[in-house]
Amino acid sequence: MSQSRVSQLAVPVNQNDHVDGDDGAPVTLVEYGDYECSYCEGAHQAVKELRRTMDDQVRFVFRHFPLSQLHPRAEEAAEAAEAAAAQGKFWEMHDLLFEHPSEITGTELRDNAAALDLDLARFDDELERHVYRDRVHDDIVSGAQSGVIGTPTFFINGERYDEQWDVTPLRAELEDAM
């Protein structure tokens, strides 16, 4: 079977994932995304709205899939999100990174960390040593196994969703999955 035909999530949601929502929610939405991707920025706005309005009905999961050949800072941004996660601030950093994806720089990452009141010495050290590179690569591998070739790519209850990422069609699909 070719990668483009894969329509199922190869690696189930697990303890390593970043999850927003109730584990008992009837629907799980998994997104593979890239912090420098303008399409992901648009999808993020829809997902953010759905996280706000459907939080008890949908469990949201974000997995990293930096397209490094197109977006040279995406992998570093993913590592920064992981460094923030280690300090209990994944979703806050995740949201900040999507506010201005075309402006991701080392300075911007550090400014975001400071805005989140992270331990900056620890943050800088972990980024410099690439402490979370393997964690990010695990997401990339699981995405590739699931047939992800671009971002954003969504899975609803383990099934690939290839329709529009706007709030209305995505909400309709999530409601249908319930």
Side-chain angles (χ1 to χ4, degrees), residues 6-17 28-32 59 61-63 135 137-148 155 157-159:
V6 175
S7 63
Q8 301 239 308
L9 189 64
V11 177
V13 175
N14 60 66
Q15 72 278 0
N16 295 324
D17 283 311
T28 298
L29 177 67
V30 175
E31 176 184 1
Y32 282 90
R59 175 174 67 155
V61 177
F62 184 84
R63 291 180 176 171
R135 168 68 179 81
H137 285 194
D138 288 347
D139 280 358
I140 295 168
V141 169
S142 77
Q145 291 171 339
S146 300
V148 175
F155 292 84
N157 286 345
E159 295 290 324

